[in-house]
Every structure is written in C-alpha cells, then in structure tokens.
C-alpha cells in the first residue's frame, strides 16, 4: 500500500476535555480482580425484605447507583485489590438462572414502567392483573364510558410496539436487585435452553439503545460497569489464557449457597469467554460493542462521569491495547478466526471479515472521543490515530466493489511483483462468481465481506456494510451507493422479512467444504443467508445518517406485518424469508429490541447521533495524501517505535 511515513503522524493527540469533578470518581482505582469472583451476599429468604426497583438517572447529577468505591490498584505490575461488595439484603423469587421478570406497577404518571417506579405496597400487580386491567379499559372505551387521560395515552400506543416493550422488560435480568441486562431469548415453548438464558454483550446492544432512547439509563450504566469487572476475569482453555482486555461473550447471574452458611445465598456473575461456547471461539466484537455503547450512554444521558472513571478509562485502554498490538500481519485490518462475531459458526469469514473491521473502526473513533488526555495515553492515542488512517484507506480502497471495479478486476494481470502493482493481492479474475456478474446493479455498490491474499469474498454482509455507513468508514458516495444497492436488490436482501445477514447462500459442495456440512447453516437458513429482524435497527441508523429514512420506514412496515404474529423469532429461513427459522428461538430479545430501536429512531431521527460518527476532516486529508503518495518512496530501516503505555 502507498503509505507515506509523514501521513501516519498526522495526529498528535486529542483536544483537552474537562475531567469529572466528582471526587468519588476521581479517587477511584481499578475495579476488578484477576483471580476473584464477583459475588454479592444475599440474606436468607426468611427475611422477607422488599426490593426497591431501580430508578432511572435523569441527569448527570442523579445519585450514582453503579459499582462504586473501589480500592487502589496498579495495572503495570498486575497488582489489583479485591473488590469489596456490600451485602445484598434483598430477596428475589428466582432460581439458579436469576432471570426474573420483575414486578408491574400501576401509576398513571409512570405508565406501567417497572424501571421508573418505586415499589409501593398496594400498587404492585402481576402480569395477569395488568392484562386484566387493559381488557377492562378496552371494554369501558367500547361502552362509551369516560376515558381517563392515561387510558387515552395507552390507546394511542401502537399495539405491536406496546407488546414489544412488555416482552423486552420481561427479559430483564437483575443482579443484587438492580437491572443488569436482558437474556438472549425468553421462549416458553423451548425446553432446550442452551445459553439463551444468558446476557450476551452483542445481543444487549439494541436492548441498551432502546432503554437509552426511552430515558431509562440505569440498566445500561449497570451493564457497562459490571461487564467491565468481567474483563479481567481469569479465563483459560487447555491451560492457555488470551490477552488482557478480552470481554466475555455472555454472562449469567447465578444464585448459589454461601460458603459456610446454609441459611444464606449469594449472587454470582458467571461469564463465558468462549470456553463453553459451541466451537470454543472467543468473541472479538464484545469489547468493540462495549465501547460503542459507552459512548452512546454518555451522549444521551449527559453523564460523562462514567466514561471518565479511572477503571472505565483503563478498561478502554485494555481493549485498545489488545486490538492494536503488533503482530505478524501486514494489513491494518484485524486478523480474526471464524465465529468471532455475530456469525459465530464456521462460515468462511476467517481472516479479515468486514463486520469486525467496521466495528473496530467505530470503536477506535468512539474511544478517541472518550480517552482522557494524559501523559500515559499519548502513545496509545498516536497508535490509535495511525491505525484509523491506515484502516480507512485499506477498506475504502480494496474492499469496495461496484460495476466499474468489477470490470477492473476482470482485466487484472496476475503474478505482479513490485511496489506499484495494481493487483496487490494477486486476485485471479476467474474468482469472480457467475452470480455476481448478473447481480451487481448498474447503480450502487458495496463493501465485500473479506479480503486475503488471492481471495476476495464477494458476498454481501449486511451488518458490516450498515456499520461502515454509521461509523464513517465508508465514504459519503460509497454510503449512498450501498443504500442504492439495497433498493435495487430489495427482493433479494429484504423480501418478506428484513434482512439477509449475507447474500447469497453457500450451496452444494461449496456449503459442504466451507461450513463443514453444518446442519444448522443449511442454504438460506441461520447464518447462511437467513433473515435476521434485529438487523433492522442498524439499517435504520444508516438510513437516517444519509437522510434516506424512507428506506428504513418501508422495511419496518414489512416487519410489522408478521413479526408479532410469528412470536418474534430469532431468524427466518428460505430465499424469500417465508418460513420461521427451523431452529429459531421465539421471543428473541434482540429481534424485539431491534424493532423498538428502529421505531424510536424513525420517530426522533435526531437521536441517532448517539451512534453516528461523521467523517473526520483530518482522516479525509490523510486519506487523500496516501492515494497521492509515491509508491516508490525511499525504503530503509525505520526508527524503532516506542511502546505505548496503558
């Protein structure tokens, strides 16, 4: 690649920011222990103590109820004091899984919102009572009786949207009496739970965004702080430990007997870093999504004290250090294995999949906004900025495909050896698949799924393309071209239920070789070109950014025709998405949350700014310099780079 040395030093740091003035936050040390469990002691059930429902943070001055009061620590020599947790004196009617649904409360001002209401004895209702109350209100309306103001408000709520909110709140998981996340699925018809009763990092993102847009910040704050503690958990497989900074794929709240005391129990956070996952693959995207959610929380709540905490700042740096570590790879993209992202099974995306690169770029941009300017961060920020320049150039230049670029590849010369080679990755023109020749529209284009030496994965991957728009990784022209492609190929990518996770499906011998004859990833099912309703929210954010919300609104209308009737499935099968997925869980939380986020953002497009990052003028300038750089520049030994300090 034509990369001038001077261009990679275009950034020297970040603009000064005001640090949090809260002395309790500034005095915080690191908040985790490498070899200890997160536990919260819980008194025996005979105490009969009621649980206060978590109240939302309405401003940055609200009382902090997260994980506070941590002792001092030292990261460089890996000495970190054990967390001191206060005794949890609450009693909850829950089993080992800890996935209770919480109570419902009736209050005309709070509109049946369990996360914004305090427990008040006579007002507590269960789900059946609420259902009966709704039916009574409906009867009174039909009989011409006077309608209360709260009833008018609820009559104006879309019934599908109202059902979705009820189901989302039913999926909330509590830890020590406070909401901490949402389980992956709450399917009453399935006895084979597997790990769908756990809180997944990536699955919670649309749930967290939905709660943020609703003004319910506490559950997101708790999620951010508690998953941060799990980052430094001891994780091993076959006596091997991954790099520090890895976030878990999921975690579960377990209630277990307290050691040495049969009359008391404790709640324990039990994380999974891939040791128990199918395929035993560690998640690369968890930490990237965590940074993106942290930025969204600060932008919408105004509570910057969370991202300015010492433990949170250190958590960001640990993720960046893990991702920015030097290795054997010559490319600026992250090298990962199959199954390390949303497509968590073997699907031929090992190497440099687009989805990870888009999330990586978005996380780098978000982290640059949130990192506190200090002496210890200077080298890290410099490495971050250098990577942003190289990554944006690499993806925009080599991953882009449209009819013009396809014609160029068709005429590629191969076996080129030189610094000014056109076919840098030695791509053979015969790799162009027949389906693409007929499928690529005259107007529109997209970012391919993967790029490696002598290999281009020409499949269209929805999440990677949508998030490239949202994060600014794709140029403005490329972003519009991606949406042009969606419109031109609507019947293939959207059809009867949005959206295809990828297109087209692997079939026949190709499916056997690439997936290992995976019976769950059969053609046009699951990850192999199945349709996933949760992708609706990412499409919506991308469309709003490019001022083309009508595309997302059209997709939402299609979703509303079926998804409630089909009981909110995880995914759909067949080429036109006509069947509910053969092994799809019903009442899948991120299908529910994805729909809600899309509806909320279409109602208030300005709120999408909490997820969007615009194209950086400095990056644009650096990108232009790299294109015009001389590929035959003087080569030689360069100065040894200083290691950055975390």
């Amino acid at each position: 690649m034509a990369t001038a040395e001077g261009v990679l030093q275009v950034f020297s740091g970040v603009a000064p920011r005001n640090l949090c003035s809260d002395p309790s936050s500034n005095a915080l040390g690191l908040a985790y222990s490498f070899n200890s469990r997160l536990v919260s002691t819980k008194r025996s059930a005979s105490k009969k103590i009621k649980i206060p429902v978590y109240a939302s943070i309405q401003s940055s001055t609200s009382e902090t109820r997260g994980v506070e009061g941590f002792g001092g620590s030292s990261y460089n020599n890996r000495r970190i004091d054990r967390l001191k947790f206060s005794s949890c004196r609450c009693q909850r009617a829950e089993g080992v899984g800890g996935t209770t649904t919480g109570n419902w409360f009736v209050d005309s001002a709070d509109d049946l919102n369990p996360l914004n209401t305090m427990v008040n004895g006579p007002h507590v209702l269960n789900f059946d009572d609420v259902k009966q109350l709704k039916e009574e209100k409906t009867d009174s309306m039909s009989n011409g009786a006077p309608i209360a103001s709260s009833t008018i408000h609820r009559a104006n709520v879309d019934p599908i949207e109202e059902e979705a909110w009820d189901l989302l709140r039913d999926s909330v998981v509590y830890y020590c009496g406070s909401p901490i996340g949402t389980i992956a699925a709450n399917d009453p018809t399935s006895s084979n739970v597997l790990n769908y009763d756990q809180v997944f990092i990536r699955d919670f993102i649309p749930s967290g965004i939905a709660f943020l847009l609703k003004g319910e910040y506490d559950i997101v704050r708790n999620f951010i702080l508690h998953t941060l503690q799990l980052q430094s958990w001891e994780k091993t497989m076959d006596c091997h430990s991954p790099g520090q900074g890895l976030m878990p794929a999921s975690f579960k709240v377990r209630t277990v007997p307290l050691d040495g005391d049969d009359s008391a129990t404790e709640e324990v956070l039990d994380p999974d870093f891939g040791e128990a996952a199918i395929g035993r693959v560690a998640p690369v995207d968890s930490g990237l999504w965590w940074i993106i959610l942290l930025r969204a929380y600060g932008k919408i709540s105004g509570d910057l004290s969370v991202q300015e905490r010492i433990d949170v700042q250190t958590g960001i740096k640990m993720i960046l250090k893990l991702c920015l570590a030097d290795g054997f790879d010559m490319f600026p993209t992250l090298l990962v294995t199959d199954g390390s992202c949303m497509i968590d099974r073997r699907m031929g995306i090992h190497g440099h999949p687009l989805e990870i690169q888009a999330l990586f770029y978005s996380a780098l941009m978000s982290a640059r906004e949130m990192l506190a300017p200090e002496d210890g961060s200077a080298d890290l920020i410099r490495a971050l900025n250098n990577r942003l320049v190289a990554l944006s150039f690499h993806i925009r230049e080599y991953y882009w495909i449209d009819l013009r670029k396809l014609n160029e590849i068709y005429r590629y010369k191969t076996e080129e050896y030189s610094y000014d080679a056109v076919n840098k990755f030695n791509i053979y023109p015969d790799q162009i698949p027949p389906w693409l020749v007929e499928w690529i529209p005259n107007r529109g284009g997209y970012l391919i799924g993967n790029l490696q030496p002598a290999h281009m994965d020409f499949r269209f991957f929805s999440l990677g393309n949508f998030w490239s728009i949202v994060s600014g990784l794709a140029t403005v022209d490329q972003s519009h071209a991606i949406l042009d492609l969606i419109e031109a190929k609507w019947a293939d990518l959207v059809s009867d239920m949005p959206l295809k996770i990828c297109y087209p499906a692997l079939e026949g011998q190709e499916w056997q070789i690439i997936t290992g004859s995976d019976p769950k990833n059969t053609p046009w099912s699951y990850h192999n070109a199945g349709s996933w309703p949760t992708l609706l929210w990412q499409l919506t954010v991308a469309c709003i950014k490019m001022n083309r919300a009508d595309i997302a609104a059209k997709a939402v209308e299609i979703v509303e025709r079926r998804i409630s009737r089909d009981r909110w499935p995880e995914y759909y099968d067949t080429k036109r998405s006509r069947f509910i997925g053969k092994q799809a869980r019903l009442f899948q939380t991120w299908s529910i949350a994805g729909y809600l986020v899309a509806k909320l953002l279409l109602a208030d497009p300005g709120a999408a700014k909490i997820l969007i990052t615009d194209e950086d003028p400095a990056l644009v300038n650096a990108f232009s310099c790299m294109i015009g750089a001389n590929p035959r520049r003087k080569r030689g030994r360069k100065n040894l780079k200083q290691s950055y300090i975390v």
Side-chain angles (χ1 to χ4, degrees), residues 1-3 8 323-336 350-353 357 360 364 386-395 398-399 423-427 450-456 626 641:
M1 294 176 294
T3 309
L8 292 182
C323 293
L324 295 172
D326 292 333
F328 291 99
D329 203 6
M330 286 294 293
F331 307 148
T333 42
L334 274 183
L335 178 62
V336 298
H350 58 281
H352 308 88
Q357 314 316 320
F360 181 34
L364 290 178
N386 292 343
R387 192 63 167 266
L388 279 171
V389 174
L391 181 62
S392 62
F393 175 85
H394 188 84
I395 296 295
Y398 304 126
Y399 275 62
N423 187 3
K424 293 180 174 63
F425 302 96
N426 201 35
I427 304 300
N450 209 331
L451 176 66
Q452 298 183 75
H455 173 69
M456 296 181 78
M626 292 175 74
K641 293 193 299 183

Short mmCIF file of all heavy atoms in Angstrom, two decimals, residues 1-3 8 323-336 350-353 357 360 364 386-395 398-399 423-427 450-456 626 641:
data_model
loop_
_atom_site.label_atom_id
_atom_site.label_comp_id
_atom_site.label_asym_id
_atom_site.label_seq_id
_atom_site.Cartn_x
_atom_site.Cartn_y
_atom_site.Cartn_z
N MET A 1 0.84 -1.20 0.00
CA MET A 1 0.00 0.00 0.00
C MET A 1 0.87 1.25 0.00
O MET A 1 1.92 1.28 0.64
CB MET A 1 -0.89 0.03 1.25
CG MET A 1 -1.92 -1.08 1.27
SD MET A 1 -2.83 -1.03 2.81
CE MET A 1 -1.52 -1.45 3.95
N ALA A 2 0.37 2.29 -0.67
CA ALA A 2 1.14 3.51 -0.76
C ALA A 2 0.91 4.35 0.47
O ALA A 2 -0.01 5.14 0.56
CB ALA A 2 0.71 4.27 -2.02
N THR A 3 1.76 4.21 1.46
CA THR A 3 1.58 4.89 2.74
C THR A 3 2.82 5.71 3.06
O THR A 3 3.87 5.14 3.33
CB THR A 3 1.33 3.89 3.87
OG1 THR A 3 0.29 3.01 3.47
CG2 THR A 3 0.95 4.60 5.14
N LEU A 8 1.29 9.06 8.49
CA LEU A 8 0.88 8.27 9.65
C LEU A 8 1.09 9.01 10.95
O LEU A 8 0.78 8.51 12.01
CB LEU A 8 1.67 6.95 9.66
CG LEU A 8 1.31 6.00 8.54
CD1 LEU A 8 2.11 4.70 8.66
CD2 LEU A 8 -0.17 5.68 8.57
N CYS A 323 -6.32 -4.84 20.72
CA CYS A 323 -6.60 -4.74 19.29
C CYS A 323 -5.45 -4.13 18.50
O CYS A 323 -5.26 -4.45 17.33
CB CYS A 323 -7.86 -3.90 19.07
SG CYS A 323 -9.39 -4.65 19.67
N LEU A 324 -4.69 -3.24 19.14
CA LEU A 324 -3.63 -2.52 18.43
C LEU A 324 -2.27 -3.18 18.58
O LEU A 324 -1.27 -2.65 18.08
CB LEU A 324 -3.56 -1.08 18.94
CG LEU A 324 -4.78 -0.20 18.65
CD1 LEU A 324 -4.65 1.14 19.36
CD2 LEU A 324 -4.96 0.01 17.16
N ALA A 325 -2.21 -4.30 19.26
CA ALA A 325 -0.92 -4.97 19.47
C ALA A 325 -0.30 -5.37 18.14
O ALA A 325 -0.99 -5.84 17.22
CB ALA A 325 -1.12 -6.21 20.35
N ASP A 326 1.01 -5.17 18.03
CA ASP A 326 1.72 -5.57 16.81
C ASP A 326 1.75 -7.08 16.68
O ASP A 326 1.83 -7.81 17.68
CB ASP A 326 3.15 -5.03 16.83
CG ASP A 326 3.19 -3.52 16.70
OD1 ASP A 326 2.25 -2.96 16.11
OD2 ASP A 326 4.14 -2.90 17.21
N GLY A 327 1.68 -7.55 15.45
CA GLY A 327 1.74 -8.98 15.20
C GLY A 327 2.44 -9.27 13.89
O GLY A 327 3.25 -8.47 13.42
N PHE A 328 2.12 -10.38 13.27
CA PHE A 328 2.76 -10.78 12.02
C PHE A 328 2.05 -10.22 10.80
O PHE A 328 2.57 -10.30 9.70
CB PHE A 328 2.81 -12.31 11.93
CG PHE A 328 3.74 -12.94 12.92
CD1 PHE A 328 3.26 -13.48 14.10
CD2 PHE A 328 5.10 -12.98 12.67
CE1 PHE A 328 4.12 -14.07 15.01
CE2 PHE A 328 5.97 -13.56 13.58
CZ PHE A 328 5.48 -14.11 14.76
N ASP A 329 0.83 -9.70 10.98
CA ASP A 329 0.01 -9.30 9.85
C ASP A 329 0.51 -7.98 9.24
O ASP A 329 0.85 -7.05 9.96
CB ASP A 329 -1.44 -9.14 10.30
CG ASP A 329 -2.42 -9.26 9.15
OD1 ASP A 329 -1.97 -9.58 8.04
OD2 ASP A 329 -3.62 -9.04 9.37
N MET A 330 0.52 -7.90 7.91
CA MET A 330 0.92 -6.68 7.21
C MET A 330 -0.24 -5.71 7.02
O MET A 330 -0.05 -4.55 6.69
CB MET A 330 1.49 -7.03 5.83
CG MET A 330 2.88 -7.64 5.85
SD MET A 330 4.14 -6.50 6.45
CE MET A 330 4.14 -5.28 5.13
N PHE A 331 -1.49 -6.18 7.22
CA PHE A 331 -2.65 -5.36 6.94
C PHE A 331 -3.10 -4.62 8.20
O PHE A 331 -2.93 -5.13 9.32
CB PHE A 331 -3.80 -6.21 6.41
CG PHE A 331 -3.43 -7.08 5.23
CD1 PHE A 331 -4.04 -8.31 5.04
CD2 PHE A 331 -2.48 -6.66 4.32
CE1 PHE A 331 -3.71 -9.10 3.96
CE2 PHE A 331 -2.13 -7.45 3.23
CZ PHE A 331 -2.75 -8.68 3.05
N PRO A 332 -3.72 -3.45 8.06
CA PRO A 332 -4.23 -2.71 9.23
C PRO A 332 -5.53 -3.27 9.76
O PRO A 332 -6.00 -2.85 10.82
CB PRO A 332 -4.42 -1.29 8.69
CG PRO A 332 -4.70 -1.49 7.23
CD PRO A 332 -3.88 -2.67 6.81
N THR A 333 -6.16 -4.20 9.04
CA THR A 333 -7.39 -4.83 9.49
C THR A 333 -7.08 -5.85 10.60
O THR A 333 -5.97 -6.35 10.70
CB THR A 333 -8.08 -5.55 8.31
OG1 THR A 333 -7.08 -6.23 7.54
CG2 THR A 333 -8.77 -4.55 7.40
N LEU A 334 -8.09 -6.13 11.42
CA LEU A 334 -7.92 -7.11 12.49
C LEU A 334 -7.99 -8.52 11.93
O LEU A 334 -8.93 -8.86 11.21
CB LEU A 334 -9.01 -6.93 13.55
CG LEU A 334 -8.77 -5.90 14.66
CD1 LEU A 334 -9.92 -5.92 15.65
CD2 LEU A 334 -7.46 -6.15 15.38
N LEU A 335 -7.03 -9.33 12.28
CA LEU A 335 -7.00 -10.73 11.85
C LEU A 335 -7.72 -11.57 12.90
O LEU A 335 -7.31 -11.62 14.06
CB LEU A 335 -5.55 -11.21 11.70
CG LEU A 335 -5.34 -12.68 11.31
CD1 LEU A 335 -5.95 -12.96 9.95
CD2 LEU A 335 -3.86 -13.02 11.32
N VAL A 336 -8.82 -12.22 12.50
CA VAL A 336 -9.62 -12.99 13.44
C VAL A 336 -10.03 -14.32 12.81
O VAL A 336 -9.94 -14.51 11.59
CB VAL A 336 -10.89 -12.22 13.88
CG1 VAL A 336 -10.53 -10.95 14.61
CG2 VAL A 336 -11.78 -11.91 12.68
N HIS A 350 -13.17 -16.33 8.21
CA HIS A 350 -11.91 -16.16 8.92
C HIS A 350 -10.98 -15.25 8.11
O HIS A 350 -11.08 -15.17 6.88
CB HIS A 350 -11.22 -17.52 9.12
CG HIS A 350 -10.95 -18.25 7.84
ND1 HIS A 350 -11.94 -18.93 7.16
CD2 HIS A 350 -9.83 -18.36 7.08
CE1 HIS A 350 -11.42 -19.46 6.05
NE2 HIS A 350 -10.14 -19.12 5.97
N GLY A 351 -10.11 -14.56 8.80
CA GLY A 351 -9.20 -13.63 8.14
C GLY A 351 -9.51 -12.21 8.54
O GLY A 351 -9.25 -11.82 9.68
N HIS A 352 -10.07 -11.44 7.63
CA HIS A 352 -10.32 -10.02 7.90
C HIS A 352 -11.77 -9.68 7.54
O HIS A 352 -12.02 -8.91 6.61
CB HIS A 352 -9.35 -9.14 7.11
CG HIS A 352 -7.91 -9.51 7.30
ND1 HIS A 352 -7.27 -10.45 6.52
CD2 HIS A 352 -6.99 -9.07 8.20
CE1 HIS A 352 -6.01 -10.57 6.92
NE2 HIS A 352 -5.82 -9.75 7.93
N PRO A 353 -12.76 -10.25 8.25
CA PRO A 353 -14.17 -10.03 7.89
C PRO A 353 -14.58 -8.57 8.07
O PRO A 353 -14.14 -7.90 9.00
CB PRO A 353 -14.93 -10.94 8.87
CG PRO A 353 -13.99 -11.12 10.02
CD PRO A 353 -12.62 -11.12 9.44
N GLN A 357 -14.08 -5.25 11.03
CA GLN A 357 -13.35 -4.04 10.66
C GLN A 357 -14.22 -2.80 10.87
O GLN A 357 -13.72 -1.76 11.33
CB GLN A 357 -12.87 -4.12 9.21
CG GLN A 357 -12.22 -5.43 8.79
CD GLN A 357 -11.24 -5.99 9.80
OE1 GLN A 357 -10.46 -5.26 10.43
NE2 GLN A 357 -11.26 -7.32 9.98
N PHE A 360 -14.45 -2.30 14.60
CA PHE A 360 -13.14 -1.87 15.05
C PHE A 360 -12.94 -0.37 14.78
O PHE A 360 -12.53 0.39 15.67
CB PHE A 360 -12.08 -2.69 14.31
CG PHE A 360 -10.65 -2.38 14.69
CD1 PHE A 360 -10.31 -2.02 16.00
CD2 PHE A 360 -9.64 -2.48 13.74
CE1 PHE A 360 -9.00 -1.75 16.35
CE2 PHE A 360 -8.32 -2.21 14.07
CZ PHE A 360 -8.01 -1.84 15.38
N LEU A 364 -12.63 2.58 17.60
CA LEU A 364 -11.48 3.48 17.63
C LEU A 364 -11.94 4.94 17.63
O LEU A 364 -11.41 5.77 18.38
CB LEU A 364 -10.57 3.22 16.44
CG LEU A 364 -9.78 1.90 16.43
CD1 LEU A 364 -8.96 1.79 15.15
CD2 LEU A 364 -8.89 1.78 17.65
N ASN A 386 -2.98 6.58 13.99
CA ASN A 386 -2.29 5.98 12.85
C ASN A 386 -3.08 4.82 12.27
O ASN A 386 -3.16 4.64 11.05
CB ASN A 386 -0.90 5.50 13.28
CG ASN A 386 0.04 6.64 13.61
OD1 ASN A 386 -0.20 7.79 13.24
ND2 ASN A 386 1.12 6.34 14.31
N ARG A 387 -3.68 4.02 13.15
CA ARG A 387 -4.45 2.86 12.70
C ARG A 387 -5.72 3.31 11.97
O ARG A 387 -6.14 2.68 10.99
CB ARG A 387 -4.79 1.98 13.90
CG ARG A 387 -5.34 0.60 13.53
CD ARG A 387 -4.31 -0.24 12.76
NE ARG A 387 -4.71 -1.63 12.69
CZ ARG A 387 -4.33 -2.57 13.54
NH1 ARG A 387 -3.51 -2.25 14.54
NH2 ARG A 387 -4.75 -3.81 13.41
N LEU A 388 -6.35 4.38 12.45
CA LEU A 388 -7.55 4.89 11.79
C LEU A 388 -7.27 5.29 10.35
O LEU A 388 -8.05 4.99 9.45
CB LEU A 388 -8.10 6.10 12.57
CG LEU A 388 -8.95 5.81 13.80
CD1 LEU A 388 -9.21 7.10 14.58
CD2 LEU A 388 -10.26 5.15 13.42
N VAL A 389 -6.14 5.96 10.14
CA VAL A 389 -5.78 6.39 8.78
C VAL A 389 -5.57 5.18 7.88
O VAL A 389 -6.14 5.08 6.79
CB VAL A 389 -4.51 7.26 8.82
CG1 VAL A 389 -4.06 7.59 7.40
CG2 VAL A 389 -4.75 8.54 9.61
N ALA A 390 -4.75 4.24 8.35
CA ALA A 390 -4.43 3.07 7.53
C ALA A 390 -5.66 2.20 7.28
O ALA A 390 -5.87 1.69 6.17
CB ALA A 390 -3.33 2.26 8.20
N LEU A 391 -6.50 2.03 8.32
CA LEU A 391 -7.68 1.17 8.19
C LEU A 391 -8.69 1.76 7.22
O LEU A 391 -9.25 1.04 6.37
CB LEU A 391 -8.32 0.97 9.57
CG LEU A 391 -9.55 0.07 9.62
CD1 LEU A 391 -9.22 -1.35 9.18
CD2 LEU A 391 -10.14 0.05 11.04
N SER A 392 -8.95 3.06 7.32
CA SER A 392 -9.91 3.69 6.42
C SER A 392 -9.44 3.60 4.97
O SER A 392 -10.23 3.32 4.06
CB SER A 392 -10.15 5.14 6.82
OG SER A 392 -8.96 5.90 6.72
N PHE A 393 -8.15 3.83 4.74
CA PHE A 393 -7.61 3.72 3.38
C PHE A 393 -7.77 2.29 2.85
O PHE A 393 -8.22 2.08 1.72
CB PHE A 393 -6.13 4.13 3.36
CG PHE A 393 -5.47 3.92 2.02
CD1 PHE A 393 -5.56 4.90 1.04
CD2 PHE A 393 -4.79 2.76 1.73
CE1 PHE A 393 -4.97 4.72 -0.20
CE2 PHE A 393 -4.19 2.57 0.50
CZ PHE A 393 -4.28 3.55 -0.47
N HIS A 394 -7.41 1.33 3.67
CA HIS A 394 -7.42 -0.07 3.24
C HIS A 394 -8.82 -0.54 2.87
O HIS A 394 -9.02 -1.15 1.81
CB HIS A 394 -6.86 -0.93 4.38
CG HIS A 394 -6.64 -2.36 4.02
ND1 HIS A 394 -5.51 -2.80 3.38
CD2 HIS A 394 -7.42 -3.46 4.19
CE1 HIS A 394 -5.58 -4.11 3.18
NE2 HIS A 394 -6.74 -4.54 3.67
N ILE A 395 -9.80 -0.24 3.70
CA ILE A 395 -11.17 -0.71 3.46
C ILE A 395 -11.77 0.02 2.26
O ILE A 395 -12.37 -0.60 1.36
CB ILE A 395 -12.05 -0.50 4.70
CG1 ILE A 395 -11.54 -1.37 5.86
CG2 ILE A 395 -13.51 -0.82 4.39
CD1 ILE A 395 -11.65 -2.85 5.64
N TYR A 398 -9.68 -1.16 -1.08
CA TYR A 398 -9.55 -2.56 -1.51
C TYR A 398 -10.81 -3.40 -1.28
O TYR A 398 -10.93 -4.48 -1.88
CB TYR A 398 -8.37 -3.22 -0.80
CG TYR A 398 -7.07 -2.49 -1.02
CD1 TYR A 398 -6.29 -2.07 0.05
CD2 TYR A 398 -6.62 -2.20 -2.31
CE1 TYR A 398 -5.09 -1.40 -0.14
CE2 TYR A 398 -5.43 -1.53 -2.52
CZ TYR A 398 -4.67 -1.12 -1.43
OH TYR A 398 -3.49 -0.45 -1.63
N TYR A 399 -11.72 -2.97 -0.41
CA TYR A 399 -12.94 -3.74 -0.15
C TYR A 399 -14.10 -3.31 -1.04
O TYR A 399 -15.11 -4.00 -1.12
CB TYR A 399 -13.36 -3.62 1.31
CG TYR A 399 -12.68 -4.59 2.26
CD1 TYR A 399 -11.30 -4.57 2.45
CD2 TYR A 399 -13.41 -5.53 2.98
CE1 TYR A 399 -10.67 -5.44 3.32
CE2 TYR A 399 -12.80 -6.41 3.86
CZ TYR A 399 -11.43 -6.36 4.01
OH TYR A 399 -10.81 -7.24 4.88
N ASN A 423 -2.65 -5.13 -9.01
CA ASN A 423 -3.30 -6.27 -8.37
C ASN A 423 -2.47 -6.69 -7.16
O ASN A 423 -1.76 -7.69 -7.17
CB ASN A 423 -3.42 -7.42 -9.38
CG ASN A 423 -4.24 -8.58 -8.85
OD1 ASN A 423 -4.76 -8.54 -7.74
ND2 ASN A 423 -4.32 -9.64 -9.64
N LYS A 424 -2.57 -5.89 -6.08
CA LYS A 424 -1.68 -6.05 -4.93
C LYS A 424 -1.86 -7.39 -4.22
O LYS A 424 -0.94 -7.91 -3.61
CB LYS A 424 -1.90 -4.91 -3.95
CG LYS A 424 -1.46 -3.55 -4.48
CD LYS A 424 -1.70 -2.47 -3.45
CE LYS A 424 -1.13 -1.13 -3.92
NZ LYS A 424 -1.80 -0.64 -5.14
N PHE A 425 -3.08 -7.95 -4.25
CA PHE A 425 -3.35 -9.17 -3.50
C PHE A 425 -3.39 -10.40 -4.41
O PHE A 425 -3.83 -11.46 -3.99
CB PHE A 425 -4.65 -9.01 -2.72
CG PHE A 425 -4.62 -7.85 -1.77
CD1 PHE A 425 -5.15 -6.62 -2.13
CD2 PHE A 425 -4.02 -7.97 -0.53
CE1 PHE A 425 -5.10 -5.55 -1.27
CE2 PHE A 425 -3.97 -6.90 0.34
CZ PHE A 425 -4.51 -5.68 -0.04
N ASN A 426 -2.94 -10.23 -5.63
CA ASN A 426 -2.86 -11.33 -6.60
C ASN A 426 -4.20 -12.04 -6.75
O ASN A 426 -4.32 -13.27 -6.63
CB ASN A 426 -1.76 -12.32 -6.20
CG ASN A 426 -1.30 -13.16 -7.38
OD1 ASN A 426 -1.25 -12.67 -8.51
ND2 ASN A 426 -0.97 -14.42 -7.13
N ILE A 427 -5.23 -11.26 -7.02
CA ILE A 427 -6.58 -11.79 -7.21
C ILE A 427 -6.71 -12.30 -8.65
O ILE A 427 -6.41 -11.59 -9.61
CB ILE A 427 -7.64 -10.71 -6.95
CG1 ILE A 427 -7.47 -10.12 -5.54
CG2 ILE A 427 -9.04 -11.27 -7.15
CD1 ILE A 427 -7.61 -11.13 -4.42
N ASN A 450 -14.72 -9.96 2.75
CA ASN A 450 -13.41 -10.37 3.25
C ASN A 450 -12.37 -10.18 2.15
O ASN A 450 -12.70 -10.26 0.97
CB ASN A 450 -13.44 -11.83 3.71
CG ASN A 450 -12.46 -12.13 4.82
OD1 ASN A 450 -11.42 -11.48 4.93
ND2 ASN A 450 -12.78 -13.11 5.66
N LEU A 451 -11.15 -9.94 2.56
CA LEU A 451 -10.05 -9.81 1.61
C LEU A 451 -8.80 -10.44 2.20
O LEU A 451 -8.40 -10.11 3.33
CB LEU A 451 -9.78 -8.33 1.30
CG LEU A 451 -8.57 -8.05 0.39
CD1 LEU A 451 -8.82 -8.59 -1.02
CD2 LEU A 451 -8.27 -6.56 0.35
N GLN A 452 -8.21 -11.36 1.45
CA GLN A 452 -6.97 -12.01 1.85
C GLN A 452 -6.14 -12.24 0.59
O GLN A 452 -6.63 -12.06 -0.51
CB GLN A 452 -7.27 -13.36 2.53
CG GLN A 452 -8.09 -13.25 3.80
CD GLN A 452 -8.28 -14.59 4.45
OE1 GLN A 452 -7.37 -15.12 5.06
NE2 GLN A 452 -9.48 -15.15 4.33
N PRO A 453 -4.89 -12.64 0.73
CA PRO A 453 -4.09 -12.91 -0.46
C PRO A 453 -4.76 -13.94 -1.37
O PRO A 453 -5.17 -15.01 -0.92
CB PRO A 453 -2.77 -13.46 0.12
CG PRO A 453 -2.68 -12.83 1.47
CD PRO A 453 -4.09 -12.75 1.96
N ALA A 454 -4.91 -13.57 -2.64
CA ALA A 454 -5.52 -14.43 -3.67
C ALA A 454 -6.96 -14.82 -3.34
O ALA A 454 -7.44 -15.86 -3.79
CB ALA A 454 -4.68 -15.68 -3.90
N HIS A 455 -7.64 -14.00 -2.56
CA HIS A 455 -9.02 -14.36 -2.20
C HIS A 455 -9.83 -13.10 -1.92
O HIS A 455 -9.43 -12.26 -1.11
CB HIS A 455 -9.05 -15.26 -0.97
CG HIS A 455 -10.43 -15.52 -0.46
ND1 HIS A 455 -11.35 -16.28 -1.14
CD2 HIS A 455 -11.07 -15.11 0.66
CE1 HIS A 455 -12.48 -16.34 -0.46
NE2 HIS A 455 -12.33 -15.63 0.65
N MET A 456 -10.98 -12.99 -2.57
CA MET A 456 -11.96 -11.95 -2.26
C MET A 456 -13.30 -12.65 -2.02
O MET A 456 -13.75 -13.44 -2.85
CB MET A 456 -12.11 -10.96 -3.41
CG MET A 456 -10.87 -10.14 -3.71
SD MET A 456 -11.09 -8.95 -5.06
CE MET A 456 -12.00 -7.65 -4.22
N MET A 626 -2.43 9.73 1.11
CA MET A 626 -1.98 8.35 0.90
C MET A 626 -2.20 7.92 -0.55
O MET A 626 -1.37 7.23 -1.14
CB MET A 626 -2.71 7.41 1.86
CG MET A 626 -2.34 7.61 3.31
SD MET A 626 -3.33 6.59 4.41
CE MET A 626 -2.60 5.00 4.11
N LYS A 641 9.68 1.98 17.00
CA LYS A 641 8.54 2.65 17.61
C LYS A 641 8.57 2.49 19.12
O LYS A 641 8.86 1.43 19.63
CB LYS A 641 7.23 2.09 17.06
CG LYS A 641 6.99 2.39 15.60
CD LYS A 641 5.55 2.10 15.23
CE LYS A 641 5.21 0.63 15.44
NZ LYS A 641 3.83 0.33 15.01
#
